[in-house]
Amino acid sequence: MAPTNGTVPPPLAGKKRRIGVMTSGGDAPGMNGVVRAVVRMSIAKGCEAYGIYEGYEGLVQGGELIKRMEWGDVRNWLSIGGTLIGTARCKAFYERPGRLKAAKNMIMSGIDALIICGGDGSLTGADKFRAEWPGLLRELVENKELTSEEIAPFKHLNIVGLVGSIDNDLSATDATIGCYSSLDRICESVDKVDATAKSHQRAFVIEVMGRHCGWLALMSALSTGADYVFIPENPPATDWETQMCNVISEHRKLGKRRSIVIVAEGAHDRDLHKISPTRVKDLLTDRLGLDTRITTLGHLQRGGTACAYDRMLSTLQGVEAVQAVLEATAETPTPVICIIENQIVRKPLVEAIRATQAVAIAIEAKDFNRAMQLRDAEFAEYHNIYMTTTATASPNLMLPKEKRMRIAIINVGAPAGGMNAAMQGAVSYCLARGHTPVAIHNGFSGFVRHHSDKPLGSVRELTWLDTEGWVSQGGTEIGTNRTLPNDSDITMVKTAECFALFNFNALFVIGGFEAFTAVSQLRKARPEYPSLRIPMVLLPATVSNNVPGTEYSLGSDTCLNALVTFCDSIRQSASSSRRRVFVVETQGGRSGYIATMAGLDIGAVAVYTPEEGITIKMLAQDIEHLRKSFAQDRGEDRSGRLILCSEHASDAYDAQKIANMIREEAKGRFDSRHAVPGHWQQGNAPSPMDRVRAIRLATKCVQYLEEYVGMTPDAIADDRKSAAVIGIRGVSVIFSEMERLEKEETNWKDRRPKNEFWLGLKKIVDTLSGRPQIGEYCAVCGDGCKKKN
């Protein structure tokens, strides 16, 4: 707890700070991850961490609601939903006397920096608090509550904001902490509703949260294949009743057995009249004669544990927030920690809040174009993709006949979550534009060996109904394997002959490192085979996330969610046994991405990767760390420990051997087991992130192929960009030339990129787990003392 002896504690030496952390506003999955990261990173940096309980109420009340937090206080918090330090509305903080009390309580606790995780209202209050800080201190001195000497070390207050909100309503970031967990709850619920709807040919109207922001509604509509969606930022046309009924009628005529309409709770028409689920239900019942039901998900969307992405996001943003505090000066504007595509960034809090609030103002003014523009660019892009891929009869989207293509779509490599979603997105976009999407079943071996089978060959044109519902299906409906076009049993000659036979104008490949290799082989064979002089694009899809040219692959998020669920379950077993370590073997080939990110998501004690390898010295040090850790456990602490070992981290030490070594060296003080989730890590239904990104990236891939319409085969072959990989790199989605990736960025021996973006995250995993570095323990005494140089 904070000091209570009535004196102001002296400041810490040097640049070390006493950092307070609080959660405010509505709770969101991942908030506990923020607190854990802030507490442990603060301690690791030599600072002190203080938990401020019950949000701003804790700041105003002080006393027992401001507590110093130690390393072990936040153990296992990653897997717990909600916020363990609480959140509450505080009317007192809205008034200056309340903020005056809060300032005094902070000084009496010695807190000189504040990290707040909450919504825009909470962050607006924080920035106002900082702006008033000098005046509050003067008032405390004038009121003789504190002396000038006592406030002297606290003249500047640094505040850092993190956005915890399931609505994803901050305009400056692609994702807020908790939004993907909430989206996961919605998709899981709609997937289940979908099954009963199909059985009875019913329609369902699903109401989701989102008073001023339609992100949850839009993303859930996109990732569940909903027929229609209502969002506050972009209301439907004036005749929306007829428009909605026409869309759903058209889908029914095509053979669709169910209808799903997603309604954001803040949905309204262009005159700002509320569109309620009941009104939508009555329209579907009365005009279309559909048996229609309403499902309101309510607070189900807010509860439960955080998904893998939100655990990662909360941890990395919490770490970045501490770093921002330590780097801040008196002149530094209050930052808010955001994520753009795949990169953590800092942005000015005031500007982010202003842009967010401007959305509501634009909506009230009926300036819906501006409201869409004020959301991040990704939001508008997803909306356009949804409108395009759900349109079955839109002449304005159709290309002239001479610009329409026959686009071959093939999966190569192991199955990955999101492959089917990418197929559905690509096919829907192709049909909307007038292209002919052609599925090649069972990879290149199916292409060469079975293209002419009767009555049904492996090469089949697809209709809109063929892929309906694929977005939520795991695996791949058209099959996949690891066969390459130049393998000896099928040969490049036969592959090229098949391309010529079916007169393809473009090739869309979905898969992992084998798919990357396949596109490389096809590109290199262009000089010899004219049929291969067509544009080719690869959408990376592999749980290993080891494809050059991208920092994200479809299926990796689904894999991480499956692995996190598995690890949470066995941690419970380890905790029940009090003193047990589980060594879990993860997939990932010769890339340690999955092991490292899962280690970040579950708080692993140690992570072993192929890039780093495993040495006997490393194992000895980790075992010594476990001895010390268990020895320091308090009697009430029942937490187990987890170690993650990538499947190819070492040729000598696998998960079972490591577990046996730990058990032997523990000498009965604790136990060890190994666990191998195996192909279970490939997941079942794809995660919402893999679904929405699959559709977005697949649409971009077809749009990229469209750029080559009208070019001659030779001109296409001469264009270095005509064989490319789409990828998320830093803050951008880019297409990278295959030829350059092959020569400059590919580690062909280990089947991974030469420079893996995530390698720096390994240090964060070790820091937050308290894992010592090599040589940190004394090899002589073996009891955890620091080794002297």
Side-chain angles (χ1 to χ4, degrees):
M1 100 180 236
T4 57
N5 58 7
T7 62
V8 177
L12 299 178
K15 293 185 178 181
K16 296 177 182 178
R17 314 290 291 273
R18 290 189 179 92
I19 302 174
V21 59
M22 61 182 279
T23 53
S24 181
D27 65 295
M31 282 184 163
N32 289 323
V34 169
V35 178
R36 172 184 178 271
V38 169
V39 168
R40 292 198 168 181
M41 184 54 68
S42 297
I43 294 172
K45 293 288 186 179
C47 301
E48 293 179 5
Y50 289 80
I52 300 169
Y53 285 69
E54 312 306 337
Y56 284 111
E57 186 70 27
L59 270 186
V60 174
Q61 296 296 329
E64 293 289 335
L65 296 180
I66 301 178
K67 302 178 183 179
R68 182 172 176 180
M69 302 191 78
E70 302 295 347
W71 190 273
D73 293 336
V74 291
R75 181 171 291 154
N76 287 347
W77 279 32
L78 277 169
S79 60
I80 301 174
T83 165
L84 290 170
I85 62 173
T87 179
R89 295 187 181 277
C90 181
K91 293 182 179 180
F93 193 80
Y94 294 153
E95 306 297 331
R96 187 175 175 86
R99 293 192 291 276
L100 191 67
K101 287 183 180 180
K104 181 179 180 180
N105 288 328
M106 285 185 63
I107 292 173
M108 294 304 297
S109 300
I111 297 172
D112 49 12
L114 193 58
I115 295 174
I116 301 174
C117 181
D120 63 339
S122 301
L123 299 183
T124 300
D127 194 65
K128 183 176 183 179
F129 188 44
R130 184 189 180 188
E132 290 183 347
W133 185 257
L136 293 171
L137 296 193
R138 285 195 300 270
E139 192 170 338
L140 288 170
V141 173
E142 291 168 1
N143 295 343
K144 297 184 179 181
E145 296 183 56
L146 294 172
T147 67
S148 298
E149 292 76 16
E150 287 175 322
I151 69 166
F154 302 93
K155 287 185 176 179
H156 305 297
L157 173 65
N158 289 118
I159 290 179
V160 177
L162 297 91
V163 190
S165 167
I166 66 169
D167 293 336
N168 197 18
D169 52 0
L170 189 80
S171 294
T173 186
D174 286 349
T176 56
I177 295 165
C179 70
Y180 273 102
S181 297
S182 180
L183 182 60
D184 184 69
R185 309 284 182 274
I186 296 171
C187 290
E188 183 180 6
S189 300
V190 176
D191 287 349
K192 291 176 179 177
V193 164
D194 186 83
T196 186
K198 285 179 180 176
S199 300
H200 298 275
Q201 298 192 59
R202 282 180 177 145
F204 273 83
V205 182
I206 314 289
E207 185 181 54
V208 302
M209 287 186 173
R211 191 172 305 160
H212 302 295
C213 180
W215 188 87
L216 282 175
L218 177 60
M219 294 299 125
S220 59
L222 196 63
S223 54
T224 60
D227 300 84
Y228 210 81
V229 65
F230 294 94
I231 61 174
E233 297 89 342
N234 194 1
T238 306
D239 62 341
W240 66 266
E241 296 98 333
T242 300
Q243 184 185 78
M244 179 189 70
C245 290
N246 288 343
V247 168
I248 291 176
S249 294
E250 187 63 30
H251 290 178
R252 288 278 178 161
K253 289 175 184 177
L254 290 171
K256 199 170 185 180
R257 287 181 57 85
R258 57 83 174 155
S259 302
I260 301 290
V261 177
I262 307 289
V263 182
E265 62 178 328
H268 51 74
D269 62 21
R270 301 191 81 81
D271 291 321
L272 303 183
H273 299 135
K274 182 176 177 57
I275 296 176
S276 68
T278 301
R279 186 177 177 189
V280 175
K281 170 188 175 294
D282 291 343
L283 279 167
L284 297 179
T285 301
D286 298 340
R287 289 199 186 185
L288 301 181
L290 297 177
D291 181 5
T292 308
R293 308 295 169 91
I294 295 174
T295 299
T296 301
L297 299 181
H299 282 74
L300 171 73
Q301 299 160 79
R302 193 181 292 280
T305 61
C307 67
Y309 181 84
D310 279 329
R311 298 188 192 195
M312 176 276 294
L313 185 63
S314 61
T315 299
L316 295 184
Q317 289 194 343
V319 168
E320 182 69 14
V322 173
Q323 195 62 38
V325 164
L326 297 179
E327 294 173 2
T329 66
E331 293 74 31
T332 304
T334 301
V336 60
I337 311 300
C338 303
I339 186 167
I340 303 298
E341 295 295 356
N342 213 40
Q343 188 169 320
I344 304 294
V345 297
R346 302 176 196 173
K347 293 193 175 184
L349 174 62
V350 173
E351 293 180 14
I353 296 298
R354 186 183 299 122
T356 301
Q357 293 174 341
V359 176
I361 295 172
I363 291 173
E364 284 296 318
K366 302 181 184 179
D367 190 350
F368 304 117
N369 288 333
R370 176 161 174 75
M372 290 295 289
Q373 291 170 1
L374 288 167
R375 293 289 182 211
D376 59 273
E378 190 180 79
F379 183 85
E381 183 181 0
Y382 274 121
H383 184 264
N384 289 335
I385 290 172
Y386 175 78
M387 298 304 292
T388 301
T389 54
T390 54
T392 56
S394 297
N396 59 310
L397 294 174
M398 285 281 186
L399 291 172
K401 288 186 178 181
E402 65 274 12
K403 291 187 176 182
R404 299 177 189 176
M405 298 188 293
R406 281 176 55 82
I407 300 178
I409 307 174
I410 187 171
N411 294 330
V412 182
M419 279 184 162
N420 281 326
M423 286 287 300
Q424 182 170 345
V427 169
S428 297
Y429 181 82
C430 282
L431 295 172
R433 300 284 282 169
H435 303 306
T436 302
V438 184
I440 299 175
H441 288 249
N442 302 317
F444 282 103
S445 61
F447 186 32
V448 172
R449 294 172 183 160
H450 303 290
H451 63 273
S452 59
D453 286 3
K454 303 297 182 183
L456 194 62
S458 60
V459 181
R460 307 170 198 170
E461 294 184 6
L462 293 171
T463 67
W464 187 87
L465 188 63
D466 288 333
T467 61
E468 198 282 316
W470 284 16
V471 66
S472 60
Q473 299 299 313
T476 166
E477 293 296 310
I478 67 169
T480 185
N481 58 52
R482 299 177 186 273
T483 304
L484 299 176
N486 202 27
D487 282 356
S488 57
D489 55 339
I490 62 173
T491 74
M492 186 62 74
V493 174
K494 294 179 181 177
T495 300
E497 288 175 353
C498 289
F499 270 87
L501 177 64
F502 289 97
N503 193 30
F504 295 133
N505 305 121
L507 176 65
F508 178 34
V509 183
I510 307 169
F513 200 88
E514 289 85 1
F516 180 83
T517 306
V519 175
S520 174
Q521 291 180 357
L522 293 170
R523 184 195 66 80
K524 292 175 180 178
R526 279 171 165 176
E528 191 173 352
Y529 303 104
S531 63
L532 302 181
R533 297 170 193 169
I534 58 176
M536 306 171 184
V537 65
L538 167 64
L539 171 52
T542 167
V543 301
S544 302
N545 196 22
N546 62 339
V547 178
T550 188
E551 296 173 4
Y552 162 82
S553 300
L554 297 182
S556 59
D557 187 66
T558 299
C559 175
L560 285 170
N561 277 295
L563 192 54
V564 163
T565 300
F566 179 87
C567 289
D568 282 351
S569 297
I570 63 170
R571 186 195 291 276
Q572 188 177 55
S573 171
S575 299
S576 299
S577 303
R578 295 183 70 94
R579 295 177 173 271
R580 177 167 289 173
V581 181
F582 269 97
V583 183
V584 180
E585 181 181 279
T586 70
Q587 289 188 336
R590 296 199 173 276
S591 170
Y593 171 82
I594 286 297
T596 300
M597 298 307 294
L600 196 71
D601 294 340
I602 66 168
V605 172
V607 174
Y608 301 128
T609 66
E611 290 83 357
E612 189 177 33
I614 305 175
T615 66
I616 191 67
K617 190 174 183 179
M618 185 187 297
L619 290 171
Q621 184 129 319
D622 288 335
I623 291 171
E624 190 60 43
H625 174 55
L626 286 169
R627 284 179 181 150
K628 180 183 178 182
S629 181
F630 279 115
Q632 292 178 339
D633 269 357
R634 295 169 295 188
E636 69 273 15
D637 194 334
R638 298 175 53 230
S639 67
R641 294 346 188 238
L642 295 181
I643 292 174
L644 299 185
C645 180
S646 190
E647 58 185 339
H648 293 300
S650 170
D651 293 332
Y653 307 109
D654 60 16
Q656 184 172 0
K657 288 179 181 177
I658 294 171
N660 291 341
M661 292 174 69
I662 293 173
R663 187 185 308 113
E664 179 67 23
E665 294 297 321
K667 306 299 183 185
R669 284 176 283 185
F670 52 91
D671 191 18
S672 180
R673 295 282 192 275
H674 81 283
V676 183
H679 283 76
W680 192 78
Q681 295 165 78
Q682 290 182 357
N684 186 9
S687 71
M689 172 172 285
D690 279 334
R691 298 186 198 189
V692 296
R693 283 188 168 177
I695 295 171
R696 177 192 180 203
L697 297 177
T699 301
K700 279 182 170 290
C701 284
V702 179
Q703 290 170 342
Y704 187 80
L705 295 173
E706 286 178 334
E707 295 177 11
Y708 291 88
V709 170
M711 291 180 62
T712 65
D714 288 343
I716 291 172
D718 290 340
D719 188 338
R720 293 164 61 94
K721 296 180 180 179
S722 65
V725 177
I726 191 173
I728 294 176
R729 307 187 82 168
V731 298
S732 303
V733 176
I734 64 173
F735 288 89
S736 301
E737 301 168 10
M738 273 296 305
E739 185 175 359
R740 185 181 61 79
L741 293 177
E742 296 164 15
K743 294 176 180 178
E744 300 176 11
E745 298 191 24
T746 304
N747 178 344
W748 289 99
K749 175 178 175 292
D750 293 322
R751 294 165 50 87
R752 65 190 185 217
K754 286 181 179 178
N755 299 308
E756 296 174 288
F757 78 99
W758 54 267
L759 289 175
L761 301 181
K762 180 70 162 49
K763 185 177 180 180
I764 294 177
V765 177
D766 290 344
T767 298
L768 296 184
S769 70
R771 185 188 186 193
Q773 301 302 305
I774 293 293
E776 195 169 335
Y777 279 112
C778 177
V780 178
C781 66
D783 66 356
C785 72
K786 294 282 185 178
K787 181 178 179 180
K788 301 293 189 294
N789 291 324

